[in-house]
Amino acid sequence: MRLPSALVLALAALPAQAERLSLTPVDQADRDRSLVEFRTRLLGDITARDIDAVVAAACPDIYLSHGGDGGPDELRHNLTLPPETLADEFRDQADEMREAYWTALQDTLSAPGYFDDQGEFWMPFQWQIRLPASVDPFTAYFVTGTRVTLRADPSADARILDLISHEVVLIDAYNPDAEYQKVKLTDGTNGYMHRDFLWSMVGYRAALAKSPDGKWQLCTFVTGD
């Protein structure tokens, strides 16, 4: 399964840290009723943790990792994550890692998405953004909310510097244990933002595509650059 060619945004041609990079969320799924029905059904199977149904909804060559074999067997492994298949230091974390994978799949498929030029449907919608070459994608995060507070300090009581909606921010060192992350807007403004509104620009994304007989399938679910 190929990776998508990101759409070129007008802002992408501007120098990094000079202009704010933003993209208003628009979910294009309703252009195809059969897609809406498939995604709704698949999300129901994910909520129910129905492993067989989710695997059955996947492409024969579903793309799941950069370097892995892909396919339904790898998807089933990721959904079940048997402890004995993990390195010794991770076996005690198998339940937590398994649940995190299911949650990421549900969150990604629930996000607004868009059709690419091949007719595949990609989520989340911000995957369309092409970052300037000077921005390290591993430091780039998308603000998923509307009017999210940018604060002067890492506290809910700190002074509000700005209200941020659906734009790219930069985080030099993301700390998963910190409720508030130190961020920089692409115009150079610094502040702190709650982690719940930040989605890595190399985080999970998913693609749905039609099979040769016209049925929608889950064909990509991958994270990384």
Side-chain angles (χ1 to χ4, degrees), residues 35 41 45-46 62 73 84 87 97 124 137 156 224:
L35 169 64
R41 185 169 60 253
D45 293 334
I46 292 169
I62 183 173
D73 288 344
E84 63 272 15
M97 294 168 63

Side-chain angles (χ1 to χ4, degrees), residues 117 127 130 155 213 217 219:
D117 55 7
W127 183 240
R130 177 171 292 175
S155 168
D213 60 357
Q217 296 177 306
C219 292

